[in-house]
Amino acid sequence: MLSLHDKIVAITGASGGIGEATARLLARRGAAVVLAARRSERIDAIAQDIQEEGGRAATCVVDVTKAEDLQRLVSRTIDRYGRLDVLVNNAGIAPISPLAALDTEGWSAMIDVNLRGMLHGVAAALPVFREQGSGHLVSIVSVAGLTVSPSMAVYAATKNAVRTVHEGLRTESTDGVVRTTAISPGYVRTDLADSMADPHIREQTRKNMDAVGIPPAAVARAVAFAIEQPDDVEIGEINVRPTVQA
């Protein structure tokens, strides 16, 4: 098993699903992790589990829609561990619905969390990466934007916007200081469907997750793979899908 010893990694959306799985895996491989999410009791419990297993973990209550919360996450990570090697932008929501439903509140929420939240992470981490001379931005995107399905137009748009920002940052980072990786999973067995207001869409999404969903640990392994590469190797994007489709 490859080691991530001495890597310092902050992870948003770490109270469950992909974020929790990533924190646990990276800690087992030697990284120090800072778990960030709104649910303080949940990230505290996960961090305690990691510590009891011999890992290094801290927590920071964060709402990614607030730029100051991401700044505080970066500052707390540096205060605790001395630097920030990797920021994993994982927080995301999916209150999807057909455009004709005119769920403008849901549209705004997805833009604020999925896109603006990622940009707040960039704004907080990038100056630190530049000052350190190295840093790695990893964001959980989605294969949903590659083939847009009914009811997923705005969700896919936010995820494709994150992909575009990553590509822009990559083209601007020609000095090798900042690395970027976009991880694009298919269906993952998480509680993401809980954020979907339409009961039919929510139930269908849960069925799809049960039928072809991959475990969060599979995405966590992709994150670990990208992070553990040598400094002169950049993994720009990884698509994570099941090998057998239902």
Side-chain angles (χ1 to χ4, degrees), residues 55-210:
R56 294 177 294 162
T59 63
C60 183
V61 177
V62 167
D63 179 345
V64 298
T65 67
K66 299 177 180 178
E68 61 270 24
D69 280 18
L70 272 299
Q71 296 285 350
R72 181 161 44 82
L73 171 61
V74 170
S75 296
R76 182 167 296 183
T77 302
I78 294 171
D79 289 344
R80 179 69 178 265
Y81 295 112
R83 67 181 188 278
L84 172 65
D85 296 314
V86 185
L87 174 63
V88 180
N89 287 302
N90 168 69
I93 59 171
I96 62 175
S97 63
L99 289 172
L102 301 179
D103 180 16
T104 56
E105 289 187 5
W107 299 350
S108 294
M110 283 186 280
I111 292 169
D112 285 343
V113 174
N114 299 352
L115 175 56
R116 204 184 308 277
M118 176 265 186
L119 288 170
H120 288 160
V122 171
L126 199 56
V128 172
F129 291 167
R130 288 290 175 196
E131 183 177 354
Q132 293 175 164
S134 66
H136 194 168
L137 184 77
V138 178
S139 292
I140 307 302
V141 193
S142 175
V143 299
L146 302 177
T147 304
V148 183
S149 301
S151 79
M152 300 189 74
V154 177
Y155 175 77
T158 62
K159 291 298 188 175
N160 269 328
V162 171
R163 181 180 285 110
T164 299
V165 171
H166 263 260
E167 178 61 13
L169 184 56
R170 184 193 68 78
T171 61
E172 293 176 12
S173 303
T174 56
D175 55 4
V177 171
V178 179
R179 294 192 294 166
T180 65
T181 303
I183 308 288
S184 294
Y187 281 108
V188 184
R189 299 188 196 110
T190 69
D191 59 2
L192 187 66
D194 293 346
S195 66
M196 300 173 184
D198 187 299
H200 174 73
I201 294 175
R202 185 169 60 245
E203 183 60 28
Q204 185 58 52
T205 300
R206 285 173 175 159
K207 288 180 179 179
N208 291 339
M209 287 178 173
D210 290 340

